[in-house]
Amino acid sequence: MVTVVETDRIEMAESDNEHTLDAMFDALERMPVPEGYKVEIVEGTVFMSPLRHVHWQIIRRIVRALEDAFGLDVLVASDERIDFPGHLNGLAPDVAKLRDGAEHNARRLWSCEDVEFVAEVISRDTARNDYGPKKTAYAYAEVPIYLIVDPYVGRCHVHTQPKGGDYLVETTVAFGTDVDLTGTDVGLTLGTGEFPRD
């Protein structure tokens, strides 16, 4: 993982997060970002993480489960920038299911208000973000379901009932056990028996 702090070059006015995030991402597009790296900005810090095979296999299985439940036209984003509440959070969730009828805004981005489900597959270098500031940002945006998949310990953590920047309910499920989301906005059962370990 490469961490880049852009604070010296780009003024980060709290009242202008949206414009500043645009400037930061524009600067990143001009930088030589290595192929096969995921780039996102978490609390004003740029994180670049290499995409791993195990990581992708789990993402693919989650997307397939969403397509099986909602059809091939389900609105799903993967590694696409979505701006979330908090200081400079231009996040790129591994998987984000958007509500039916969601559309890009004028800046050609999805709105965090349209996100119904987020899944992050952690990597060792960015786990702190997934369990910390990203979880907080998703809760402030009131994303109903936040799933953290940890291939290092073989567990999934399901966070529901967002309130005041935190999730009130957390359920932990071991790989091999189904993640029951039937009582949530997503309304599906996610099998984890084929999730690979890292």
Side-chain angles (χ1 to χ4, degrees):
M1 177 200 62
V2 177
T3 304
V4 180
V5 180
E6 288 286 327
T7 35
D8 293 337
R9 287 186 242 160
I10 300 171
E11 184 178 320
M12 294 187 198
E14 191 70 49
S15 63
D16 199 20
N17 276 351
E18 183 178 289
H19 184 67
T20 303
L21 277 170
D22 288 343
M24 291 176 76
F25 277 103
D26 287 346
L28 284 167
E29 286 182 15
R30 293 188 299 274
M31 292 175 61
V33 175
E35 179 113 8
Y37 274 72
K38 172 181 174 173
V39 179
E40 61 187 344
I41 299 172
V42 181
E43 295 185 329
T45 302
V46 177
F47 289 88
M48 291 184 235
S49 309
L51 300 175
R52 293 173 170 46
H53 181 72
V54 166
H55 194 91
W56 169 241
Q57 292 304 311
I58 294 171
I59 291 169
R60 194 169 61 88
R61 284 173 170 80
I62 294 170
V63 171
R64 183 179 294 159
L66 290 169
E67 289 175 344
D68 288 348
F70 297 100
L72 292 177
D73 292 329
V74 63
L75 289 176
V76 175
S78 181
D79 294 340
E80 292 183 48
R81 173 185 165 192
I82 302 173
D83 295 347
F84 282 89
H87 180 66
L88 298 174
N89 285 317
L91 307 181
D94 290 329
V95 179
K97 183 200 176 293
L98 301 142
R99 69 171 177 79
D100 291 343
E103 294 182 3
H104 284 114
N105 62 25
R107 294 166 40 241
R108 306 221 16 92
L109 300 174
W110 298 112
S111 171
C112 68
E113 289 84 8
D114 290 331
V115 178
E116 295 180 327
F117 167 83
V118 167
E120 296 283 7
V121 182
I122 71 158
S123 61
R124 290 191 200 283
D125 296 330
T126 60
R128 184 193 72 77
N129 288 337
D130 295 328
Y131 285 109
K134 289 171 79 172
K135 178 182 163 197
T136 300
Y138 296 146
Y140 271 122
E142 297 186 353
V143 174
I145 306 148
Y146 175 37
L147 172 68
I148 300 175
V149 181
D150 188 335
Y152 303 103
V153 297
R155 289 193 182 97
C156 296
H157 304 277
V158 183
H159 301 274
T160 57
Q161 297 184 24
K163 185 171 182 177
D166 200 4
Y167 284 94
L168 300 181
V169 177
E170 178 183 351
T171 306
T172 302
V173 176
F175 280 18
T177 305
D178 290 346
V179 176
D180 183 5
L181 301 174
T182 54
T184 69
D185 291 1
V186 176
L188 64 84
T189 300
L190 177 64
T192 65
E194 294 184 11
F195 282 9
R197 298 278 302 259
D198 199 353

